[in-house]
Amino acid sequence: MNVTLADVARAAGISPSTVSRALSAPGMVNVETAKRVRRIAREMGYVSSHVPRQPAGPRTEAIGLIVPDIANPFFPPIIKAVQARAGALGRTVAVADVDEYAADEIRRAEFLASRVDGLIIASARSADEQLEELNDKLPLVLVNRQHPNISNVTIENAAGIHEAVEHLAALGHRTISYLNGPKRSWSNTQRQTAVREACAQNDVELIEFGPFEPQIQAGAHAADLLNASPATAVIAYDDLIALGVMARLTERGVRVGPEMSVVGIDDSPMSGMAYPTLTTVHVPGAHAGVQAVDMLLDLIDAHVEGEPSSPLQRSTQIETRLLVRSSTAPAPSRA
């Protein structure tokens, strides 16, 4: 029976992509790791082949990355991290932006499929069935979207959002609002659920508005709805909506913090530069990008070696935390 790269990886207790680099580009891994991998490969009788047993096409040494909106501050840290990690491992990255138009996501993916060895989709908006069909065509990793049959890196929203609700409750806020994100967003479902659970646990009344697109203009519209409600604090689906809320409240003469507390989610670079600075739930997007690249390279190596992909399909979660800044303050008395 032929010994595969995945067999060597299991024996060494490391990923197939690390074994591949240790054998083909030892300068990219720890010296001791490279020596150990070569020894194990020799003992097992592993013979590297330049011709894959079940090829999907010639190797391009490139990977694809699709994002919903390159202008949204949540995605640039992911893009930069993916490019940096892939570049360090000798891969090129092709980036596609679908401008929040979900119907374009699969079209762009199919266009890239024959031009890259694997694909990362951040905050995928497509239906589960469409993503599963795509996963059958090439190695695929999802970021900020869960799927039972596709490898994914997800954001564990609950911890940071529970901290946000507890923070507002401790400041005396008894009625808060949640501004929903897009209907098609998997993230919004997770965040909405976390807010509802946290409010119930802290005996806080919840008022929901939306859905809203992740844009500053949407936050400006939401602010007028908030002003007419009994809420004294708001948690927005993301920082862009929260920043729009803050801008419109200021226009209306409402002081952000003393008269209306505002919390965002994502910790985009803009959140720390706003006035007042925005209290937000930190989402480590750069770390998610690095994890996604490593996961994808494992799948690509297994694909080239002809190994079944299912044992390598896995899910990992990245934790969130609350960053308290100036946009939250003790609850005012509301008429």
Side-chain angles (χ1 to χ4, degrees):
M1 185 168 117
N2 290 329
V3 177
T4 68
L5 185 143
D7 294 330
V8 177
R10 279 191 288 271
I14 56 179
S15 69
S17 62
T18 302
V19 171
S20 177
R21 291 191 288 275
L23 296 175
S24 62
M28 291 185 175
V29 299
N30 178 276
V31 174
E32 293 304 317
T33 300
K35 286 181 182 177
R36 187 165 65 89
V37 168
R38 288 198 296 272
R39 176 179 56 76
I40 292 172
R42 250 191 338 267
E43 291 171 354
M44 295 180 69
Y46 171 74
V47 178
S48 177
S49 172
H50 295 291
V51 182
R53 285 190 284 274
Q54 294 181 10
R59 288 288 288 267
T60 66
E61 302 304 331
I63 62 175
L65 171 62
I66 296 177
V67 297
D69 182 4
I70 204 168
N72 186 320
F74 175 69
F75 296 108
I78 295 176
I79 295 170
K80 289 180 71 68
V82 167
Q83 289 179 324
R85 183 64 170 173
L89 299 176
R91 265 71 171 188
T92 301
V93 182
V95 181
D97 172 13
V98 298
D99 200 24
E100 286 292 349
Y101 188 51
D104 264 358
E105 197 167 71
I106 296 300
R107 283 199 288 267
R108 298 288 173 85
E110 290 175 344
F111 174 81
L112 288 171
S114 61
R115 296 166 171 81
V116 298
D117 298 325
L119 187 63
I120 297 169
I121 303 181
S123 298
R125 309 292 200 225
S126 302
D128 282 355
E129 298 76 18
Q130 291 176 302
L131 293 172
E132 206 153 353
E133 288 176 11
L134 184 62
N135 189 50
D136 290 337
K137 297 177 183 177
L138 82 167
L140 175 65
V141 171
L142 304 176
V143 174
N144 201 29
R145 169 73 180 269
Q146 204 165 41
H147 190 293
N149 301 319
I150 302 173
S151 291
N152 57 81
V153 180
T154 56
I155 310 301
E156 199 287 299
N157 290 283
I161 289 175
H162 276 248
E163 285 182 27
V165 173
E166 288 171 356
H167 168 66
L168 294 173
L171 291 172
H173 296 277
R174 307 318 310 162
T175 303
I176 70 172
S177 174
Y178 174 65
L179 305 181
N180 283 282
K183 274 185 180 179
R184 60 187 177 276
S185 168
W186 179 85
S187 281
N188 182 64
T189 302
Q190 307 307 305
R191 294 173 181 184
Q192 179 192 59
T193 300
V195 170
R196 289 174 176 176
E197 290 176 349
C199 285
Q201 291 171 11
N202 288 275
D203 194 26
V204 171
E205 181 185 357
L206 176 64
I207 301 171
E208 295 187 39
F209 295 108
F212 298 103
E213 289 300 311
Q215 299 169 349
I216 287 179
Q217 304 92 298
H221 169 60
D224 291 333
L225 300 176
L226 279 170
N227 243 349
S229 79
T232 58
V234 58
I235 298 175
Y237 163 75
D238 73 350
D239 285 351
L240 282 181
I241 296 175
L243 291 169
V245 167
M246 289 170 60
R248 179 56 62 90
L249 289 176
T250 301
E251 285 179 9
R252 301 293 192 215
V254 178
R255 292 178 299 158
V256 174
E259 295 179 312
M260 177 71 75
S261 288
V262 180
V263 178
I265 300 175
D266 287 344
D267 188 25
S268 64
M270 296 168 64
S271 65
M273 296 184 289
Y275 183 79
T277 52
L278 177 64
T279 295
T280 186
V281 175
H282 174 71
V283 176
H287 184 47
V290 171
Q291 292 281 313
V293 171
D294 289 347
M295 198 177 283
L296 183 63
L297 294 183
D298 284 351
L299 293 174
I300 290 170
D301 287 339
H303 187 64
V304 169
E305 287 292 322
E307 290 294 306
S309 60
S310 55
L312 283 172
Q313 289 174 347
R314 62 187 188 271
S315 176
T316 186
Q317 280 196 332
I318 296 176
E319 293 184 357
T320 57
R321 57 189 171 87
L322 181 68
L323 294 178
V324 177
R325 297 190 179 117
S326 304
S327 66
T328 50
S333 57
R334 294 287 293 255

